[in-house]
Amino acid sequence: MSDTNSRKISELVKKDGNNTCADCGLPNPEWASYNIGIFICTTCAAWHRSLGSHISKVKSLRLDKWDDEQVQMIETVGNVKAKEKYEKHIPPCYRVPQAGDPPVLLEQWIRAKYERQEFIFVEKQTYICNSMEGTLMKKARAEKKYFPRKFVIADNTLKYYVKENAKEPKATVQLSELNVCLAPSKMNQDNGLQLSFMTDGSTRHIYVHHESSETIILWYAAIRNIKLNWLMVAYPNASAEELVPYLTTDFVIEGWLSKTGPNERDAYRRRWFILDDRKLMYHEGPLDAYPRGEIFLGYKDNNYNIKEGVPRGCKDHDFSFSLITPDRTYVMSAPTSDERMRWMAAIRTVLERPLRPQDNQ
């Protein structure tokens, strides 16, 4: 009987809808939650276990034995029907994670679906609001320590205060100018956010975290929701789906590279680079408040190019490449050949994309 059930499970997981993870979309799931009735990948199975067996009961498709009742539940429900139930009311502002996204995003997506059932009961979506207030741990601008700061979202602005009872904010940021990235790995904080915005002609980064992963995703979703509301007013003819890509954007690529100064004989210096759409920034360290410099990446037909090697007369270093702009050639090097290939491919993709009006702005 167990062999028969194992064969049934093996056939069920091949059906359309079942052949990708019900939570992150990864192909060929190897696990299932038999009381919910879905097939899931190994990563999502670990998060399901953390929910507790009173919410999700997880089994391996290959290693565990299956009884008739469990197989029948999977057969009756399946991924498609489960999504219709647990994802019925996902607000446009909510970022649905994909395989490979930050763990905090995936964890809270799974908890929101099955533990809190936020997309079944809309009243549980507390991030669909026009204001928010709370305490986050903020990194000091000139040191590695984090301090509690009061953050307030109101009137399409984000403000933070050094003290709880302070009358004037330390900074006020228009939400329309704010980008928010989940940045747990480089912050060494599981629940870390990087807030970036323009001030006095330069990009400013603020790094915050909270001990609760639910709280940090609440802030992330609330900022996205308010930005979406603002964009729908600014662009009344656009649909919510068309505006969602402009709410927040992850960095295309970031990491250590070396670069020279503007003169041929300048030494190479190690810098932390971030490619943010058409803006290439370099910093002394990963958590700097301000970049040392910012390079606009235009369109290839306007004298922008990237190629391996260095210009004649310039000293070579490791795995070098040159970024050519109308104003200057930037000479950089990566620590490995693969890293150079990754950076050059990412930058070339940007250079080959024609400019939009907002890019020039």
Side-chain angles (χ1 to χ4, degrees), residues 118-328:
E118 291 176 12
F119 311 124
I120 297 176
F121 305 105
V122 179
E123 63 272 16
K124 295 186 177 184
Q125 298 173 12
T126 55
Y127 37 81
I128 302 181
C129 56
N130 292 319
S131 63
M132 191 170 172
E133 181 176 324
T135 300
L136 299 172
M137 299 298 293
K138 175 189 172 292
K139 181 185 175 295
R141 189 171 71 177
E143 52 184 319
K144 296 181 180 180
K145 295 181 181 179
Y146 287 81
F147 298 94
R149 297 289 184 259
K150 184 174 82 170
F151 281 77
V152 177
I153 297 176
D155 302 322
N156 287 325
T157 64
L158 174 71
K159 301 178 181 179
Y160 80 87
Y161 300 78
V162 174
K163 294 183 179 180
E164 181 71 26
N165 57 356
K167 294 183 179 180
E168 296 296 325
K170 180 68 174 177
T172 300
V173 185
Q174 296 295 322
L175 286 181
S176 58
E177 303 297 322
L178 179 69
N179 186 41
V180 187
C181 282
L182 293 158
S185 55
K186 73 174 182 180
M187 290 177 64
N188 200 26
Q189 299 286 348
D190 291 340
N191 309 324
L193 282 181
Q194 178 172 345
L195 315 176
S196 300
F197 54 93
M198 293 297 294
T199 177
D200 299 326
S202 177
T203 300
R204 169 78 161 100
H205 306 299
I206 292 177
Y207 302 91
V208 299
H209 71 87
H210 196 279
E211 62 181 2
S212 164
S213 55
E214 181 181 353
T215 298
I216 212 68
I217 295 300
L218 177 66
W219 278 91
Y220 183 69
I223 290 171
R224 286 172 59 89
N225 178 67
I226 295 173
K227 289 190 71 173
L228 178 59
N229 291 338
W230 176 83
L231 285 170
M232 292 182 73
V233 172
Y235 302 95
N237 294 326
S239 66
E241 290 72 21
E242 291 173 316
L243 296 172
V244 163
Y246 300 97
L247 301 184
T248 57
T249 55
D250 293 341
F251 297 136
V252 179
I253 185 175
E254 60 180 319
W256 290 108
L257 295 172
S258 296
K259 70 174 289 294
T260 68
N263 299 317
E264 292 179 351
R265 296 184 179 180
D266 287 342
Y268 285 84
R269 297 185 184 276
R270 195 165 178 252
R271 296 287 184 252
W272 182 267
F273 276 76
I274 296 175
L275 178 55
D276 182 9
D277 194 33
R278 299 200 95 104
K279 182 165 56 178
L280 181 64
M281 299 173 279
Y282 53 93
H283 314 69
E284 287 195 4
L287 300 183
D288 282 2
Y290 293 93
R292 297 271 301 186
E294 305 181 55
I295 307 167
F296 175 73
L297 302 181
Y299 184 46
K300 64 178 183 178
D301 289 355
N302 298 327
N303 298 317
Y304 287 87
N305 194 12
I306 189 166
K307 60 183 181 180
E308 286 189 15
V310 300
R312 180 177 296 180
C314 186
K315 184 180 178 181
D316 204 353
H317 180 266
D318 290 341
F319 299 88
S320 59
F321 60 97
S322 300
L323 172 61
I324 301 163
T325 76
D327 300 322
R328 173 182 164 186

Side-chain angles (χ1 to χ4, degrees), residues 321-349:
F321 60 97
S322 300
L323 172 61
I324 301 163
T325 76
D327 300 322
R328 173 182 164 186
T329 295
Y330 294 86
V331 179
M332 294 170 276
S333 73
T336 67
S337 176
D338 287 345
E339 278 296 288
R340 176 172 63 181
M341 191 182 305
R342 280 204 321 134
W343 277 96
M344 289 186 65
I347 294 172
R348 185 174 289 113
T349 298

Side-chain angles (χ1 to χ4, degrees), residues 100-114:
D101 278 341
V104 62
L105 193 66
L106 186 56
E107 177 206 1
Q108 287 305 311
W109 163 245
I110 289 171
R111 290 190 181 278
K113 283 176 68 174
Y114 308 112

Side-chain angles (χ1 to χ4, degrees), residues 9 30 35 61 74 141 164 221 265:
I9 285 292
E30 298 180 342
N35 64 313
L61 304 187
I74 293 279
R141 189 171 71 177
E164 181 71 26
R265 296 184 179 180

Side-chain angles (χ1 to χ4, degrees), residues 43-92:
T43 300
C44 291
W47 290 119
H48 273 258
R49 282 200 194 90
S50 71
L51 299 176
S53 58
H54 62 293
I55 296 175
S56 183
K57 303 180 189 295
V58 178
K59 271 192 169 186
S60 167
L61 304 187
R62 294 186 300 106
L63 303 178
D64 291 325
K65 293 182 179 180
W66 291 80
D67 61 35
D68 293 346
E69 186 178 350
Q70 293 164 354
V71 172
Q72 186 178 2
M73 182 63 176
I74 293 279
E75 190 172 17
T76 301
V77 183
N79 288 8
V80 174
K81 285 186 178 179
K83 283 176 173 287
E84 290 174 356
K85 174 183 177 181
Y86 291 101
E87 300 181 13
K88 187 174 183 179
H89 300 294
I90 302 175

